[in-house]
Amino acid sequence: MKVTIPLNIADIEEPKPVPAGKKYDLVVASYEDSTDGGGSPQLRVLINIEGHDIAPAVTHFLSLPSSRDDVKKLRGKGYYLRTFLDPFKIPYESQGDQTEFDTDDLIGARANLELTLSEPDKNNRVYNRLVLPRLVDTVDQNPIGRVSPKPPKR
């Protein structure tokens, strides 16, 4: 059987990461539910780097807080989740001791963030990784999840 595809594969190059230390326009391409090595829930998010078609998608894992986590782990996961949601402008609503966001809002979400490089893996491959901003840098990015400013000193 003869197969014809709409692509000249002779022109295909080895995917390579973009240089570290610069900000790039990023767009969430997809996500999937998964679990970490300990069985805790997480989202595996694939993020494309706009204008860099040769660069592979950035893979980012969002650890989701669960009832099995102690207070310190809950707060840590919540912190890292928020440092992702805020710059990508994913709306969320927090009430009492719960926060809700819609994973459907991830697809197509955009941010302009710095990327770094991973350490080489066992095959000596290097990948781009997100550099997420600190909360003090993102506080005005998400009006739903905004922290109220401190009252003025008198």
Side-chain angles (χ1 to χ4, degrees), residues 150-154:
K150 291 181 181 178
K153 290 184 180 183
R154 295 176 188 213

Side-chain angles (χ1 to χ4, degrees), residues 53-114:
D53 296 335
I54 295 175
V58 176
T59 301
H60 186 76
F61 293 92
L62 292 173
S63 295
L64 300 175
S66 73
S67 59
R68 299 185 324 187
D69 296 330
D70 62 32
V71 172
K72 185 173 184 168
K73 192 173 258 190
L74 278 172
R75 292 190 62 77
K77 288 180 177 181
Y79 173 82
Y80 288 110
L81 184 60
R82 184 165 168 212
T83 62
F84 181 88
L85 296 177
D86 282 357
F88 280 94
K89 298 176 181 65
I90 306 298
Y92 57 88
E93 190 168 329
S94 294
Q95 290 185 342
D97 62 352
Q98 296 193 351
T99 297
E100 185 176 277
F101 70 97
D102 190 339
T103 55
D104 289 343
D105 291 332
L106 292 171
I107 306 299
R110 297 174 172 277
N112 182 267
L113 293 173
E114 182 181 340

